Amino acid sequence: MRQQHLTAASAAHPQPPQHSEPAPPSKRLAVFVSGGGSNFRAIHAAVQQGAIAGTVAVVVSNAPGCGGCDYARQHGIPVLTYPAPKDDPSAGLGDDELLQQLTEEFSVELVVLAGYLKLIPSSLVRAFKRRILNIHPALLPAFGGKGYYGGKVHRAVVASGVRFSGPTIHFVDEEYDTGPILAQAIVPVYPTDRPEQLAARVLKEEHRLYPLCVAAMCDDRVTWREDGVPIMWTAH
Ligand code: GRF
């Protein structure tokens, strides 16, 4: 059976992984949200349609009243608050408790950051090496790093005069937006664009691309080049 990697074509594909063994069992996901949660909804919809061999076992948020958390509760998905609010440490989890809940209570195998605005603690990054994904609404490594979030990203992109933008899905390390890139998609930036128009164009691609990446991770269709670059393979 023939597989291709999902990024732009190159003349010589590396040898694809062989998948003669049975499909891996459904993976347990934790989705982290801080806002409306439209990417979370797109991923959850793909789970429900059977396009992702996974289960959203738990949602984690610093803002338990956000739209993403409301959606989780409506669908019977438990919500954890992390980090705890500064003025009420008992209202949320600490770093160790978060890690313990994810690993022991919810048996999480893959962490999916979907518009989560806080930094992930090092203990979690270490425990989930190559198993935490994030989405950024621009083509990294440009327009990323601390302070580049939400509308700020799109304003900077429009102001720069670049002609293309689009979402980046990347693995998470201990800095903002610097981990290995798994996938990107391209949308045009028009010289007449307002940042909101660009944001809507990029968001549409986010909702298409992120579920594909999560599906690939759940199917074990991501391999690693020796130099640390991940390769995502098409389903067969
Ligand atoms: C998205 O644009 C995502 O790229 C960024 O935050 C936004 C979250 O949107 N990280 P939503 O909460 O998924 O609707």
Side-chain angles (χ1 to χ4, degrees):
M1 105 203 50
R2 185 169 157 70
Q3 291 184 312
Q4 288 186 316
H5 67 79
L6 282 174
T7 43
S10 74
H13 295 311
Q15 187 63 34
Q18 296 303 309
H19 274 294
S20 48
E21 64 277 9
S26 173
K27 289 246 191 327
R28 294 179 60 78
L29 316 177
V31 182
F32 283 48
V33 296
S34 295
S38 68
N39 279 288
F40 164 39
R41 291 166 206 237
I43 289 164
H44 188 249
V47 165
Q48 289 183 314
Q49 289 156 14
I52 292 176
T55 305
V56 182
V58 63
V59 162
V60 178
S61 183
N62 60 309
C66 73
C69 291
D70 287 344
Y71 176 89
R73 285 187 285 262
Q74 282 157 16
H75 289 80
I77 301 168
V79 175
L80 302 177
T81 301
Y82 174 84
K86 285 207 173 72
D87 56 356
D88 187 4
S90 65
L93 303 174
D95 293 4
D96 294 346
E97 292 165 311
L98 174 69
L99 184 56
Q100 192 229 345
Q101 286 278 312
L102 294 185
T103 54
E104 291 171 29
E105 178 71 22
F106 292 101
S107 305
V108 167
E109 297 163 280
L110 176 66
V111 172
V112 178
L113 309 184
Y116 181 70
L117 295 176
K118 300 283 183 182
L119 200 60
I120 296 298
S122 326
S123 53
L124 193 64
V125 175
R126 282 195 299 271
F128 283 82
K129 188 169 187 310
R130 294 182 169 177
R131 291 189 297 145
I132 308 179
L133 290 179
N134 183 41
I135 186 161
H136 183 76
L139 296 172
L140 293 174
F143 306 108
K146 194 163 164 53
Y148 276 108
Y149 61 88
K152 291 185 185 185
V153 176
H154 301 295
R155 280 197 290 279
V157 169
V158 168
S160 75
V162 296
R163 296 305 200 261
F164 295 98
S165 189
T168 300
I169 314 292
H170 66 95
F171 288 89
V172 169
D173 59 16
E174 291 178 41
E175 310 289 327
Y176 282 102
D177 301 331
T178 56
I181 291 171
L182 178 61
Q184 294 183 309
I186 306 287
V187 304
V189 182
Y190 300 118
T192 52
D193 265 343
R194 282 181 284 108
E196 307 76 50
Q197 293 173 298
L198 174 62
R201 203 175 300 129
V202 172
L203 193 62
K204 207 169 151 203
E205 279 300 292
E206 294 184 31
H207 296 162
R208 186 185 66 78
L209 188 64
Y210 213 178
L212 292 179
C213 293
V214 175
M217 289 295 290
C218 288
D219 292 346
D220 293 328
R221 282 187 286 107
V222 174
T223 58
W224 290 82
R225 228 167 58 182
E226 269 177 24
D227 61 358
V229 169
I231 308 171
M232 186 163 71
W233 302 88
T234 52
H236 46 80

